[in-house]
Amino acid sequence: LAVDRLHDRVDDLHAIQVVFKNYRRVRRIRDLGSDSVGKLVCIPGIVISSNETRCKATTLVLQCSNCKHTIQIPVPPGIAGAHIPRVCPKQSDENNQQKCPFDPFVILPDQSQYIDTQKLKLQEAPELVPTSEMPRHVGLVCERQLVNQIKPGTRLH
């Protein structure tokens, strides 16, 4: 769909997950460096382990324990955590009779939003390991529809 058509209905959209197949920019694990951070790369290898499915918050709803003011905090994707404010924004409000304490927020789990995540460990393909060296591995995080799709022993190209 074109972005201009979605402009009026953007609030009706649900989270979209894009999956790339046959991505041709293949790199070896040994070639990954700081220049690869934040970029899309394709790494061939074998999945050697997978963790259990866990939930990760995408949006946290916080409530001040003093004045009951609620705020929503977005959680960055990947393995990053949320940055919870240390001070209630209503603390400086003139209508607030009691001053809110430092670190006043509690998480409201029933009102927060979550996705499924799973951690995998990918080991470089045996044919790419130089003679007399140990294979290297990297950690991967799968989210949403990619969870529980790959089992240990699966070869990825």
Side-chain angles (χ1 to χ4, degrees):
L1 294 172
V3 175
D4 58 342
R5 279 200 237 156
L6 292 176
H7 183 33
D8 296 334
R9 303 178 318 174
V10 73
D11 293 334
D12 296 336
L13 291 177
H14 296 285
I16 297 172
Q17 184 174 12
V18 177
V19 178
F20 292 95
K21 294 186 178 191
N22 299 323
Y23 188 68
R24 299 291 178 206
R25 297 183 67 189
V26 177
R27 296 187 70 178
R28 298 178 345 158
I29 289 177
R30 293 174 188 270
D31 297 334
L32 294 178
S34 60
D35 61 326
S36 302
V37 174
K39 296 194 173 121
L40 182 64
V41 294
C42 180
I43 306 168
I46 299 172
V47 176
I48 58 172
S49 70
S50 64
N51 291 359
E52 294 179 9
T53 301
R54 297 191 177 204
C55 66
K56 179 184 190 287
T58 56
T59 303
L60 286 176
V61 178
L62 307 173
Q63 184 177 53
C64 178
S65 58
N66 184 54
C67 68
K68 306 303 182 200
H69 175 68
T70 59
I71 58 172
Q72 289 188 357
I73 303 292
V75 180
I79 58 174
H83 296 286
I84 298 176
R86 310 238 18 220
V87 178
C88 178
K90 293 287 185 180
Q91 182 172 351
S92 60
D93 190 359
E94 294 175 4
N95 296 332
N96 191 359
Q97 299 298 324
Q98 300 175 350
K99 293 296 178 191
C100 299
F102 200 60
D103 291 331
F105 290 107
V106 293
I107 298 172
L108 300 178
D110 293 341
Q111 296 177 26
S112 299
Q113 297 174 357
Y114 305 91
I115 58 170
D116 290 334
T117 65
Q118 181 181 32
K119 291 183 181 179
L120 303 176
K121 190 181 287 187
L122 181 70
Q123 181 176 286
E124 64 185 328
E127 60 272 10
L128 298 176
V129 179
T131 306
S132 75
E133 290 200 29
M134 296 293 291
R136 295 184 182 174
H137 63 270
V138 294
L140 308 174
V141 177
C142 297
E143 295 181 346
R144 298 180 178 94
Q145 287 83 14
L146 296 177
V147 171
N148 289 329
Q149 297 297 313
I150 298 176
K151 305 294 182 211
T154 303
R155 184 177 280 265
L156 302 178
H157 303 283

